[in-house]
Amino acid sequence: GSLCWNPGTGALAKEGVVGALGRARGYKRSWAQRSTDHRGRPTFPGIVCTLLEDSEVAEIHRLPEGASSIPLAEPTMTEGVIYLIPPELVNE
């Protein structure tokens, strides 16, 4: 998943795109995606924020074998703007 601070004038600003407040249950915002086009450069990629499923976050933070971890009682929840994009704009 992608996070947009300001969709600007790109595909998300086009007619037919609808934004609404919503929640993504079981997803967490994480500074975990390497990027050479938004941050950094090819020889040293930057890190940008993205949405990860709880299972992906657990994998990143996996403890060494034999160590105990405390499972989440409930899935995490991330709030933000959810964009509904018409099929004809998906590839933009």
Coordinates of all heavy atoms in Angstrom, one line a residue:
G1 N 0.8 -1.2 0.0 CA 0.0 0.0 0.0 C 0.8 1.2 0.0 O 2.0 1.2 0.4
S2 N 0.3 2.3 -0.5 CA 1.0 3.5 -0.6 C 0.4 4.6 0.3 O -0.9 4.6 0.4 CB 1.0 4.0 -2.0 OG 1.7 5.2 -2.2
L3 N 1.2 5.4 0.8 CA 0.7 6.6 1.6 C 0.9 7.9 0.8 O 2.0 8.0 0.3 CB 1.4 6.6 2.9 CG 1.2 5.4 3.9 CD1 2.1 5.6 5.1 CD2 -0.2 5.3 4.2
C4 N 0.0 8.7 0.8 CA 0.1 10.0 0.2 C -0.1 11.1 1.2 O -1.2 11.2 1.8 CB -0.9 10.1 -1.0 SG -0.7 8.9 -2.2
W5 N 0.9 12.0 1.3 CA 0.7 13.1 2.2 C -0.1 14.2 1.5 O -1.1 14.8 2.0 CB 2.0 13.7 2.6 CG 1.9 14.9 3.5 CD1 2.1 16.2 3.1 CD2 1.5 14.9 4.9 NE1 1.9 17.0 4.2 CE2 1.5 16.3 5.3 CE3 1.1 14.0 5.8 CZ2 1.1 16.7 6.5 CZ3 0.7 14.4 7.0 CH2 0.7 15.7 7.4
N6 N 0.2 14.4 0.2 CA -0.5 15.4 -0.6 C -0.6 14.8 -2.0 O 0.5 14.8 -2.7 CB 0.3 16.7 -0.5 CG -0.4 17.8 -1.4 OD1 -1.4 17.5 -2.0 ND2 0.1 19.0 -1.4
P7 N -1.7 14.4 -2.5 CA -1.8 13.8 -3.8 C -1.5 14.8 -4.9 O -1.3 14.3 -6.0 CB -3.2 13.3 -3.8 CG -4.0 14.1 -2.8 CD -3.0 14.5 -1.8
G8 N -1.5 16.1 -4.7 CA -1.1 17.0 -5.7 C -2.0 17.0 -6.9 O -3.2 17.0 -6.8
T9 N -1.3 17.0 -8.1 CA -2.1 17.1 -9.3 C -2.0 15.8 -10.2 O -2.3 15.8 -11.3 CB -1.6 18.3 -10.2 OG1 -0.2 18.1 -10.4 CG2 -1.8 19.6 -9.5
G10 N -1.5 14.8 -9.6 CA -1.4 13.5 -10.3 C -2.7 12.8 -10.4 O -3.8 13.4 -10.4
A11 N -2.6 11.4 -10.6 CA -3.8 10.6 -10.8 C -4.8 10.8 -9.7 O -6.0 10.7 -10.0 CB -3.4 9.2 -10.9
L12 N -4.4 11.0 -8.4 CA -5.4 11.1 -7.3 C -6.2 12.4 -7.4 O -7.2 12.5 -6.7 CB -4.7 11.0 -6.0 CG -4.1 9.6 -5.7 CD1 -3.4 9.6 -4.3 CD2 -5.1 8.5 -5.8
A13 N -5.7 13.4 -8.2 CA -6.5 14.6 -8.3 C -7.4 14.6 -9.5 O -8.1 15.6 -9.7 CB -5.5 15.8 -8.4
K14 N -7.5 13.5 -10.2 CA -8.3 13.5 -11.4 C -9.8 13.3 -11.1 O -10.1 12.7 -10.0 CB -7.8 12.4 -12.4 CG -6.4 12.7 -13.0 CD -6.1 11.9 -14.1 CE -4.9 12.4 -14.8 NZ -4.5 11.7 -16.0
E15 N -10.6 13.7 -12.0 CA -12.1 13.5 -11.9 C -12.4 12.0 -11.8 O -11.8 11.2 -12.5 CB -12.8 14.1 -13.1 CG -14.3 14.2 -12.9 CD -14.9 14.9 -14.1 OE1 -14.3 15.9 -14.6 OE2 -16.1 14.6 -14.4
G16 N -13.3 11.7 -10.9 CA -13.7 10.3 -10.7 C -13.0 9.7 -9.5 O -13.5 8.7 -9.0
V17 N -11.9 10.2 -9.0 CA -11.3 9.7 -7.8 C -12.0 10.3 -6.6 O -12.2 11.5 -6.5 CB -9.8 10.1 -7.8 CG1 -9.1 9.6 -6.5 CG2 -9.1 9.5 -9.0
V18 N -12.3 9.4 -5.7 CA -13.1 9.8 -4.5 C -12.2 9.5 -3.2 O -11.7 8.4 -3.1 CB -14.4 9.1 -4.4 CG1 -15.1 9.5 -3.1 CG2 -15.3 9.4 -5.6
G19 N -12.1 10.4 -2.3 CA -11.3 10.2 -1.1 C -12.3 10.3 0.1 O -13.2 11.1 0.1
A20 N -12.1 9.3 1.0 CA -12.9 9.3 2.2 C -12.1 8.9 3.4 O -11.2 8.1 3.2 CB -14.1 8.3 2.0
L21 N -12.5 9.3 4.6 CA -11.8 8.9 5.8 C -12.1 7.4 6.0 O -13.2 7.0 5.8 CB -12.2 9.7 7.0 CG -11.8 11.2 6.9 CD1 -12.3 11.9 8.2 CD2 -10.3 11.4 6.8
G22 N -11.1 6.7 6.4 CA -11.3 5.3 6.7 C -10.3 4.6 7.6 O -9.3 5.3 8.0
R23 N -10.4 3.3 7.8 CA -9.5 2.6 8.6 C -9.0 1.3 7.9 O -9.8 0.7 7.2 CB -10.1 2.2 9.9 CG -10.5 3.3 10.8 CD -11.1 2.8 12.1 NE -11.4 4.0 12.9 CZ -12.6 4.2 13.5 NH1 -13.6 3.4 13.3 NH2 -12.7 5.3 14.2
A24 N -7.8 1.0 8.0 CA -7.2 -0.2 7.5 C -6.9 -1.1 8.6 O -5.8 -0.9 9.3 CB -6.0 0.1 6.6
R25 N -7.7 -2.1 8.9 CA -7.5 -3.0 10.1 C -6.5 -4.0 9.7 O -6.6 -4.7 8.6 CB -8.9 -3.6 10.5 CG -8.8 -4.4 11.7 CD -10.2 -4.9 12.1 NE -10.2 -5.7 13.2 CZ -10.4 -5.4 14.5 NH1 -10.7 -4.1 14.7 NH2 -10.3 -6.2 15.5
G26 N -5.5 -4.3 10.6 CA -4.5 -5.3 10.3 C -3.3 -4.7 9.5 O -2.5 -5.5 9.0
Y27 N -3.3 -3.4 9.4 CA -2.2 -2.8 8.7 C -1.5 -1.7 9.6 O -2.2 -1.1 10.4 CB -2.6 -2.1 7.4 CG -3.0 -3.1 6.3 CD1 -4.2 -3.7 6.3 CD2 -2.0 -3.4 5.4 CE1 -4.5 -4.6 5.3 CE2 -2.4 -4.3 4.4 CZ -3.6 -4.9 4.3 OH -3.9 -5.8 3.4
K28 N -0.2 -1.5 9.4 CA 0.5 -0.5 10.2 C 1.4 0.4 9.3 O 2.0 -0.2 8.4 CB 1.4 -1.3 11.2 CG 2.2 -0.4 12.1 CD 3.0 -1.2 13.1 CE 3.8 -0.4 14.0 NZ 3.1 0.3 15.0
R29 N 1.4 1.7 9.6 CA 2.3 2.5 8.9 C 3.8 2.2 9.3 O 4.0 2.2 10.5 CB 2.0 4.0 9.2 CG 0.9 4.5 8.4 CD 0.8 6.1 8.7 NE -0.3 6.6 7.9 CZ -1.4 7.0 8.4 NH1 -1.7 7.0 9.7 NH2 -2.4 7.5 7.6
S30 N 4.6 2.0 8.4 CA 6.0 1.7 8.7 C 7.0 2.3 7.8 O 6.8 2.4 6.6 CB 6.2 0.1 8.6 OG 5.4 -0.5 9.4
W31 N 8.1 2.8 8.3 CA 9.2 3.4 7.5 C 10.0 2.2 7.1 O 11.0 1.8 7.7 CB 10.0 4.4 8.3 CG 9.2 5.6 8.6 CD1 8.5 5.9 9.7 CD2 9.1 6.7 7.8 NE1 7.9 7.1 9.6 CE2 8.2 7.7 8.4 CE3 9.5 7.0 6.5 CZ2 7.9 8.9 7.9 CZ3 9.2 8.3 5.9 CH2 8.4 9.2 6.6
A32 N 9.6 1.5 6.0 CA 10.2 0.3 5.6 C 10.4 0.1 4.1 O 11.0 -0.9 3.7 CB 9.3 -0.9 6.1
Q33 N 10.0 1.0 3.3 CA 10.1 0.8 1.9 C 11.3 1.7 1.4 O 11.4 2.8 1.6 CB 8.8 1.3 1.2 CG 8.9 1.1 -0.3 CD 7.5 1.5 -0.9 OE1 6.5 1.4 -0.3 NE2 7.6 2.0 -2.2
R34 N 12.2 1.0 0.7 CA 13.4 1.7 0.1 C 12.9 2.3 -1.2 O 12.2 1.8 -2.0 CB 14.5 0.7 -0.2 CG 14.9 0.1 1.1 CD 16.4 0.0 1.2 NE 16.8 -0.6 2.5 CZ 17.6 0.0 3.3 NH1 18.2 1.1 3.0 NH2 17.9 -0.5 4.4
S35 N 13.4 3.5 -1.5 CA 13.0 4.3 -2.7 C 14.2 5.1 -3.2 O 14.9 5.7 -2.5 CB 11.9 5.2 -2.3 OG 11.6 6.1 -3.4
T36 N 14.3 5.0 -4.6 CA 15.3 5.8 -5.2 C 14.7 6.9 -6.0 O 15.4 7.9 -6.4 CB 16.2 5.0 -6.2 OG1 15.3 4.3 -7.2 CG2 17.0 3.9 -5.4
D37 N 13.4 6.9 -6.2 CA 12.7 8.0 -7.0 C 12.1 9.0 -6.1 O 11.9 10.2 -6.5 CB 11.7 7.4 -8.0 CG 10.6 6.6 -7.3 OD1 10.8 6.2 -6.1 OD2 9.5 6.4 -7.9
H38 N 11.7 8.7 -4.9 CA 11.1 9.7 -4.0 C 12.1 10.2 -3.0 O 12.1 11.3 -2.5 CB 9.9 9.1 -3.2 CG 8.8 8.8 -4.1 ND1 8.6 7.6 -4.7 CD2 7.8 9.6 -4.6 CE1 7.5 7.6 -5.4 NE2 7.0 8.8 -5.4
R39 N 13.0 9.3 -2.6 CA 14.1 9.7 -1.6 C 15.3 8.9 -2.0 O 15.3 7.9 -2.6 CB 13.7 9.2 -0.2 CG 12.4 9.8 0.4 CD 12.7 11.2 0.9 NE 11.6 11.8 1.6 CZ 10.6 12.4 1.1 NH1 10.6 12.6 -0.2 NH2 9.6 13.0 1.8
G40 N 16.5 9.5 -1.6 CA 17.7 8.8 -1.9 C 18.1 8.8 -3.3 O 17.7 9.6 -4.1
R41 N 19.0 7.9 -3.6 CA 19.6 7.7 -5.0 C 19.9 6.2 -5.2 O 19.9 5.5 -4.3 CB 20.8 8.6 -5.2 CG 21.9 8.3 -4.1 CD 23.0 9.4 -4.2 NE 24.0 9.1 -3.2 CZ 24.1 9.5 -2.0 NH1 23.1 10.1 -1.5 NH2 25.1 9.1 -1.2
P42 N 20.1 5.9 -6.5 CA 20.3 4.4 -6.8 C 21.4 3.8 -5.9 O 21.3 2.6 -5.5 CB 20.7 4.4 -8.2 CG 20.0 5.6 -8.8 CD 20.1 6.6 -7.7
T43 N 22.5 4.5 -5.6 CA 23.5 3.9 -4.8 C 23.2 3.9 -3.3 O 23.9 3.2 -2.5 CB 24.9 4.6 -5.0 OG1 24.7 6.0 -4.7 CG2 25.3 4.4 -6.5
F44 N 22.2 4.7 -2.9 CA 21.9 4.8 -1.5 C 20.4 5.1 -1.3 O 20.0 6.3 -1.2 CB 22.7 5.9 -0.7 CG 22.6 5.8 0.7 CD1 23.3 4.9 1.5 CD2 21.8 6.8 1.4 CE1 23.2 4.8 2.9 CE2 21.7 6.7 2.8 CZ 22.4 5.8 3.5
P45 N 19.5 4.1 -1.5 CA 18.1 4.4 -1.5 C 17.6 5.0 -0.1 O 18.2 4.6 0.9 CB 17.4 3.0 -1.6 CG 18.5 2.1 -2.2 CD 19.8 2.7 -1.7
G46 N 16.6 5.9 -0.2 CA 16.0 6.4 1.0 C 15.0 5.5 1.5 O 14.6 4.5 0.9
I47 N 14.4 5.8 2.6 CA 13.3 5.0 3.2 C 12.1 5.9 3.3 O 12.1 7.0 3.7 CB 13.7 4.5 4.6 CG1 14.9 3.6 4.5 CG2 12.6 3.8 5.3 CD1 15.4 3.1 5.9
V48 N 11.0 5.3 2.8 CA 9.7 6.0 2.8 C 8.7 5.2 3.6 O 8.8 4.0 3.8 CB 9.2 6.3 1.3 CG1 10.1 7.3 0.6 CG2 9.0 5.1 0.6
C49 N 7.6 5.9 4.0 CA 6.6 5.2 4.8 C 5.7 4.5 3.8 O 5.4 4.9 2.7 CB 5.8 6.3 5.5 SG 4.9 5.7 6.9
T50 N 5.2 3.3 4.3 CA 4.3 2.5 3.5 C 3.4 1.7 4.5 O 3.5 1.8 5.7 CB 5.1 1.5 2.6 OG1 4.2 0.8 1.8 CG2 5.8 0.5 3.5
L51 N 2.4 1.0 4.0 CA 1.5 0.2 4.8 C 2.0 -1.2 4.7 O 2.2 -1.7 3.6 CB 0.1 0.3 4.3 CG -0.7 1.5 4.6 CD1 -2.1 1.5 4.0 CD2 -0.9 1.8 6.1
L52 N 2.1 -1.8 5.9 CA 2.5 -3.3 5.9 C 1.4 -4.0 6.7 O 0.8 -3.5 7.7 CB 3.8 -3.5 6.6 CG 5.0 -2.9 5.9 CD1 6.3 -3.1 6.8 CD2 5.2 -3.5 4.6
E53 N 1.1 -5.2 6.3 CA 0.2 -6.1 7.1 C 0.9 -6.4 8.4 O 2.1 -6.5 8.5 CB -0.1 -7.4 6.3 CG -1.0 -7.2 5.1 CD -1.3 -8.5 4.5 OE1 -1.9 -9.3 5.2 OE2 -1.1 -8.6 3.3
D54 N 0.1 -6.7 9.4 CA 0.7 -7.1 10.7 C 1.7 -8.2 10.6 O 2.7 -8.2 11.3 CB -0.4 -7.5 11.7 CG -1.2 -6.3 12.2 OD1 -0.8 -5.1 12.0 OD2 -2.3 -6.5 12.7
S55 N 1.4 -9.2 9.7 CA 2.3 -10.3 9.6 C 3.7 -9.9 9.0 O 4.7 -10.4 9.4 CB 1.7 -11.4 8.7 OG 1.4 -10.9 7.4
E56 N 3.7 -8.9 8.1 CA 4.9 -8.4 7.6 C 5.7 -7.6 8.6 O 7.0 -7.7 8.7 CB 4.6 -7.4 6.4 CG 4.0 -8.1 5.2 CD 3.6 -7.2 4.1 OE1 2.7 -6.3 4.4 OE2 4.1 -7.3 3.0
V57 N 5.0 -6.9 9.5 CA 5.7 -6.1 10.6 C 6.3 -7.2 11.5 O 7.5 -7.0 11.9 CB 4.7 -5.2 11.3 CG1 5.4 -4.6 12.5 CG2 4.2 -4.1 10.4
A58 N 5.6 -8.2 11.8 CA 6.1 -9.3 12.7 C 7.4 -9.9 12.1 O 8.3 -10.2 12.8 CB 5.0 -10.3 13.0
E59 N 7.4 -10.1 10.8 CA 8.5 -10.7 10.2 C 9.8 -9.8 10.3 O 10.9 -10.3 10.5 CB 8.2 -11.0 8.7 CG 9.3 -11.7 7.9 CD 9.7 -13.1 8.4 OE1 8.8 -13.8 9.0 OE2 10.9 -13.5 8.1
I60 N 9.5 -8.5 10.1 CA 10.7 -7.6 10.2 C 11.2 -7.6 11.6 O 12.4 -7.5 11.8 CB 10.2 -6.2 9.8 CG1 9.9 -6.1 8.3 CG2 11.2 -5.1 10.2 CD1 9.2 -4.8 7.8
H61 N 10.4 -7.7 12.6 CA 10.8 -7.6 14.0 C 11.0 -9.0 14.6 O 10.9 -9.1 15.8 CB 9.8 -6.8 14.8 CG 9.7 -5.3 14.3 ND1 10.7 -4.4 14.6 CD2 8.8 -4.7 13.6 CE1 10.4 -3.3 14.0 NE2 9.2 -3.4 13.4
R62 N 11.1 -10.0 13.8 CA 11.2 -11.3 14.3 C 12.4 -11.5 15.3 O 13.5 -11.0 15.0 CB 11.4 -12.3 13.1 CG 11.4 -13.8 13.6 CD 11.5 -14.7 12.4 NE 12.7 -14.4 11.6 CZ 12.9 -14.8 10.4 NH1 12.0 -15.5 9.8 NH2 14.0 -14.4 9.8
L63 N 12.1 -12.1 16.4 CA 13.0 -12.3 17.4 C 13.9 -13.5 17.1 O 13.5 -14.4 16.4 CB 12.3 -12.5 18.8 CG 11.5 -11.4 19.3 CD1 10.7 -11.8 20.5 CD2 12.4 -10.2 19.6
P64 N 15.1 -13.5 17.6 CA 16.0 -14.7 17.4 C 15.3 -16.0 17.9 O 14.5 -16.0 18.8 CB 17.2 -14.4 18.3 CG 17.2 -12.9 18.6 CD 15.7 -12.5 18.5
E65 N 15.7 -17.1 17.3 CA 15.1 -18.4 17.6 C 15.3 -18.6 19.1 O 16.3 -18.4 19.7 CB 15.8 -19.5 16.8 CG 15.0 -20.8 16.9 CD 15.6 -21.8 15.9 OE1 16.0 -21.4 14.8 OE2 15.6 -23.0 16.3
G66 N 14.2 -19.1 19.7 CA 14.2 -19.4 21.2 C 13.7 -18.3 22.0 O 13.3 -18.5 23.2
A67 N 13.7 -17.0 21.5 CA 13.2 -15.9 22.3 C 11.7 -15.9 22.2 O 11.1 -16.3 21.3 CB 13.8 -14.6 21.7
S68 N 11.1 -15.4 23.3 CA 9.6 -15.4 23.3 C 9.1 -14.0 22.9 O 9.8 -13.0 23.1 CB 9.1 -15.7 24.7 OG 9.5 -14.8 25.6
S69 N 8.0 -14.0 22.2 CA 7.3 -12.8 21.9 C 5.9 -12.8 22.4 O 5.3 -13.8 22.6 CB 7.4 -12.6 20.3 OG 6.6 -13.6 19.7
I70 N 5.4 -11.6 22.5 CA 4.0 -11.5 23.0 C 3.1 -11.2 21.8 O 3.3 -10.2 21.1 CB 3.9 -10.3 24.0 CG1 4.8 -10.5 25.2 CG2 2.4 -10.1 24.4 CD1 4.9 -9.4 26.1
P71 N 2.2 -12.1 21.4 CA 1.4 -11.9 20.2 C 0.4 -10.7 20.5 O 0.1 -10.4 21.6 CB 0.6 -13.2 20.1 CG 0.7 -13.8 21.4 CD 1.9 -13.3 22.1
L72 N 0.1 -10.1 19.4 CA -0.9 -9.0 19.5 C -2.3 -9.5 19.9 O -2.7 -10.5 19.4 CB -1.0 -8.3 18.1 CG 0.2 -7.5 17.6 CD1 0.0 -7.1 16.2 CD2 0.5 -6.4 18.5
A73 N -2.9 -8.8 20.8 CA -4.2 -9.2 21.2 C -5.3 -9.0 20.1 O -6.2 -9.7 19.9 CB -4.6 -8.5 22.5
E74 N -5.0 -7.9 19.4 CA -5.9 -7.5 18.3 C -5.1 -7.0 17.1 O -4.0 -6.6 17.3 CB -6.8 -6.4 18.7 CG -7.8 -6.7 19.8 CD -8.7 -5.5 20.1 OE1 -8.7 -4.5 19.3 OE2 -9.4 -5.5 21.1
P75 N -5.6 -7.1 15.9 CA -4.9 -6.5 14.8 C -4.7 -5.0 15.0 O -5.5 -4.3 15.6 CB -5.8 -6.7 13.6 CG -6.8 -7.8 14.0 CD -6.9 -7.7 15.5
T76 N -3.7 -4.4 14.4 CA -3.5 -3.0 14.5 C -4.5 -2.3 13.6 O -5.2 -3.0 12.8 CB -2.0 -2.6 14.1 OG1 -1.8 -3.1 12.7 CG2 -1.0 -3.2 15.0
M77 N -4.6 -1.0 13.7 CA -5.5 -0.2 12.8 C -4.8 1.1 12.5 O -4.3 1.8 13.3 CB -6.8 0.0 13.6 CG -7.8 0.7 12.7 SD -9.4 0.9 13.4 CE -9.8 -0.6 14.2
T78 N -4.9 1.4 11.2 CA -4.3 2.6 10.7 C -5.5 3.5 10.1 O -6.3 3.0 9.4 CB -3.3 2.4 9.6 OG1 -2.2 1.6 10.2 CG2 -2.7 3.7 9.0
E79 N -5.5 4.7 10.5 CA -6.6 5.6 10.0 C -6.0 6.6 9.0 O -4.8 7.0 9.1 CB -7.2 6.4 11.2 CG -7.9 5.5 12.1 CD -8.5 6.3 13.3 OE1 -7.9 7.3 13.7 OE2 -9.5 5.9 13.8
G80 N -6.8 7.0 8.0 CA -6.3 7.9 7.0 C -7.4 8.1 5.9 O -8.5 7.8 6.1
V81 N -6.9 8.7 4.8 CA -7.8 8.8 3.7 C -7.6 7.6 2.7 O -6.5 7.3 2.4 CB -7.5 10.2 2.9 CG1 -8.4 10.3 1.7 CG2 -7.6 11.4 3.8
I82 N -8.8 7.1 2.4 CA -8.8 5.9 1.4 C -9.3 6.5 0.1 O -10.3 7.1 0.0 CB -9.7 4.8 1.9 CG1 -9.2 4.3 3.2 CG2 -9.8 3.7 0.9 CD1 -10.1 3.3 3.9
Y83 N -8.5 6.3 -1.0 CA -8.9 6.7 -2.3 C -9.5 5.6 -3.1 O -8.9 4.5 -3.2 CB -7.6 7.3 -3.0 CG -7.1 8.6 -2.4 CD1 -6.1 8.6 -1.5 CD2 -7.7 9.8 -2.8 CE1 -5.7 9.7 -0.9 CE2 -7.3 11.0 -2.2 CZ -6.2 10.9 -1.3 OH -5.8 12.1 -0.8
L84 N -10.7 5.8 -3.6 CA -11.3 4.9 -4.5 C -11.0 5.4 -6.0 O -11.4 6.5 -6.4 CB -12.8 4.9 -4.3 CG -13.2 4.5 -2.9 CD1 -14.7 4.7 -2.7 CD2 -12.8 3.1 -2.5
I85 N -10.3 4.5 -6.7 CA -9.7 4.9 -8.0 C -10.5 4.2 -9.1 O -10.5 2.9 -9.1 CB -8.2 4.7 -8.1 CG1 -7.5 5.4 -7.0 CG2 -7.7 5.0 -9.4 CD1 -6.1 5.1 -6.8
P86 N -11.0 4.9 -10.1 CA -11.7 4.2 -11.2 C -10.8 3.3 -11.9 O -9.6 3.6 -12.1 CB -12.2 5.3 -12.1 CG -12.2 6.5 -11.2 CD -11.1 6.3 -10.2
P87 N -11.2 2.1 -12.4 CA -10.4 1.2 -13.1 C -9.5 1.8 -14.3 O -8.4 1.5 -14.5 CB -11.3 0.1 -13.7 CG -12.5 0.2 -12.8 CD -12.6 1.7 -12.4
E88 N -10.1 2.8 -15.0 CA -9.4 3.4 -16.1 C -8.2 4.2 -15.7 O -7.3 4.6 -16.5 CB -10.3 4.2 -17.0 CG -10.9 5.4 -16.3 CD -12.2 5.1 -15.6 OE1 -12.6 4.0 -15.4 OE2 -12.9 6.1 -15.3
L89 N -8.1 4.6 -14.4 CA -6.9 5.4 -13.9 C -5.9 4.5 -13.1 O -4.9 5.1 -12.7 CB -7.4 6.5 -12.9 CG -8.3 7.5 -13.6 CD1 -8.8 8.5 -12.5 CD2 -7.6 8.3 -14.7
V90 N -6.2 3.3 -12.9 CA -5.3 2.4 -12.0 C -3.9 2.4 -12.5 O -2.9 2.4 -11.7 CB -5.9 1.0 -11.9 CG1 -4.9 0.1 -11.3 CG2 -7.1 1.0 -11.1
N91 N -3.6 2.4 -13.8 CA -2.3 2.2 -14.4 C -1.5 3.6 -14.4 O -0.4 3.6 -14.9 CB -2.3 1.6 -15.7 CG -2.7 0.1 -15.6 OD1 -2.3 -0.5 -14.6 ND2 -3.4 -0.4 -16.6
E92 N -2.1 4.7 -14.1 CA -1.5 6.0 -14.2 C -0.5 6.2 -13.1 O -0.5 5.9 -12.0 CB -2.5 7.1 -14.2 CG -3.2 7.2 -15.5 CD -3.9 8.5 -15.7 OE1 -3.4 9.6 -15.1 OE2 -4.9 8.5 -16.3

